[in-house]
């Protein structure tokens, strides 16, 4: 069965439509109205190997917080639903460099949501993108995909490099964690 799904979610703050194919080719068709966020999510699709279509509109006149968090909610829910029988490798990790940045991401798609990271950014902004919006996206994504996600910045000064390196690392860890296996990897027999 193809591990793909389309989800739409509309609130007073945001209107989000996402299509996800876990067994894709890394194609990203992303329109969130926030340039740097589009850049990161396009990279996320490429390194995860997922095909992702995102059309997101939101109350940017307030700021980008609601939109980034809600894209995390919907993308996480889509991943959780598309995984279906959960016969997957479950664990994935990677240590990825990008110039001055060096980031570890480690995942367990366990059904138990948890998110933790150390201090990632010294700057509050990358251009007009607020760095804390990315942390909100990651937390909402981890919670709604029901995975344990740890992100650890080992090094890095340039916030653009840190953000992009983090997303590449997350994509590569996800590609491994969602790899199909023959059975459910759990002593409980369920995830
Ligand atoms: Mn870049």
């Amino acid at each position: 069965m193809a591990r793909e799904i389309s989800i739409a979610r509309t609130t007073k703050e945001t209107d989000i439509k996402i299509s996800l194919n876990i067994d894709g080719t890394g194609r990203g068709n992303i329109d969130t109205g926030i340039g740097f966020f589009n850049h990161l999510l396009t990279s996320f699709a490429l390194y995860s190997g997922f095909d992702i279509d995102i059309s997101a509109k939101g109350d940017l006149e307030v700021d980008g917080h609601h939109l980034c968090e809600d894209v995390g909610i919907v993308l996480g829910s889509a991943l959780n639903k598309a995984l279906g029988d959960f016969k997957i490798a479950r664990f994935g990790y990677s240590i990825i460099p990008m110039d001055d940045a060096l980031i570890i991401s480690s995942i367990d798609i366990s059904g138990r949501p948890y998110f933790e990271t150390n201090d990632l950014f010294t700057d509050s902004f990358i251009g007009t993108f607020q760095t804390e919006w990315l942390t909100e996206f990651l937390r909402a994504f981890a919670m709604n995909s029901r995975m344990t996600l740890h992100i650890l910045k080992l090094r890095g000064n340039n916030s653009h490099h840190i953000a992009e390196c983090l997303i590449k690392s997350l994509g590569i860890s996800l590609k491994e964690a969602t790899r199909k296996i023959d059975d459910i990897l759990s002593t409980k027999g369920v995830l």
Side-chain angles (χ1 to χ4, degrees):
M1 201 184 69
R3 301 186 300 172
E4 54 188 331
I5 195 156
S6 293
I7 293 187
R9 179 181 181 270
T10 303
T11 70
K12 286 198 179 114
E13 294 166 344
T14 62
D15 183 9
I16 297 169
K17 294 177 186 62
I18 293 182
S19 294
L20 170 70
N21 180 355
I22 294 171
D23 306 304
T25 58
R27 180 187 55 74
N29 181 14
I30 314 289
D31 178 16
T32 66
I34 302 177
F36 189 69
F37 199 35
N38 292 347
H39 177 48
L40 292 178
L41 293 169
T42 303
S43 189
F44 178 85
L46 180 66
Y47 289 93
S48 62
F50 300 169
D51 286 346
I52 306 175
D53 294 87
I54 300 180
S55 161
K57 292 183 183 59
D59 54 354
L60 297 181
E61 72 282 357
V62 174
D63 76 354
H65 180 113
H66 297 141
L67 186 125
C68 293
E69 182 179 4
D70 291 2
V71 167
I73 291 172
V74 181
L75 189 59
S77 310
L79 180 62
N80 179 261
K81 290 189 173 66
L83 280 170
D85 64 9
F86 286 90
K87 291 182 179 173
I88 52 171
R90 198 178 145 173
F91 297 96
Y93 67 90
S94 65
I95 307 172
I96 298 296
M98 183 174 170
D99 301 340
D100 55 298
L102 183 63
I103 306 261
I104 293 177
S105 67
S106 184
I107 291 173
D108 177 8
I109 303 181
S110 59
R112 287 192 307 278
Y114 185 84
F115 173 68
E116 190 150 352
T117 179
N118 61 345
D119 291 339
L120 295 169
F121 300 102
T122 46
D123 303 324
S124 300
F125 286 89
I126 301 165
T128 57
F129 182 85
Q130 216 165 325
T131 49
E132 65 184 25
W133 297 347
L134 181 55
T135 314
E136 288 307 313
F137 163 77
L138 293 166
R139 180 179 294 109
F141 176 70
M143 291 299 150
N144 290 275
S145 57
R146 303 186 66 75
M147 72 170 64
T148 296
L149 169 60
H150 289 261
I151 292 178
L152 207 55
K153 181 184 91 172
L154 298 176
R155 289 201 185 96
N157 310 307
N158 180 296
S159 293
H160 187 126
H161 294 163
I162 293 165
E164 203 167 332
C165 182
L166 181 167
I167 284 288
K168 286 179 183 177
S169 173
L170 176 59
I172 291 164
S173 299
L174 272 168
K175 191 169 194 168
E176 172 52 25
T178 58
R179 183 171 54 79
K180 284 182 188 170
I181 62 171
D182 296 333
D183 214 336
I184 291 185
L185 186 63
S186 166
T187 52
K188 298 193 295 289
V190 293
L191 287 178

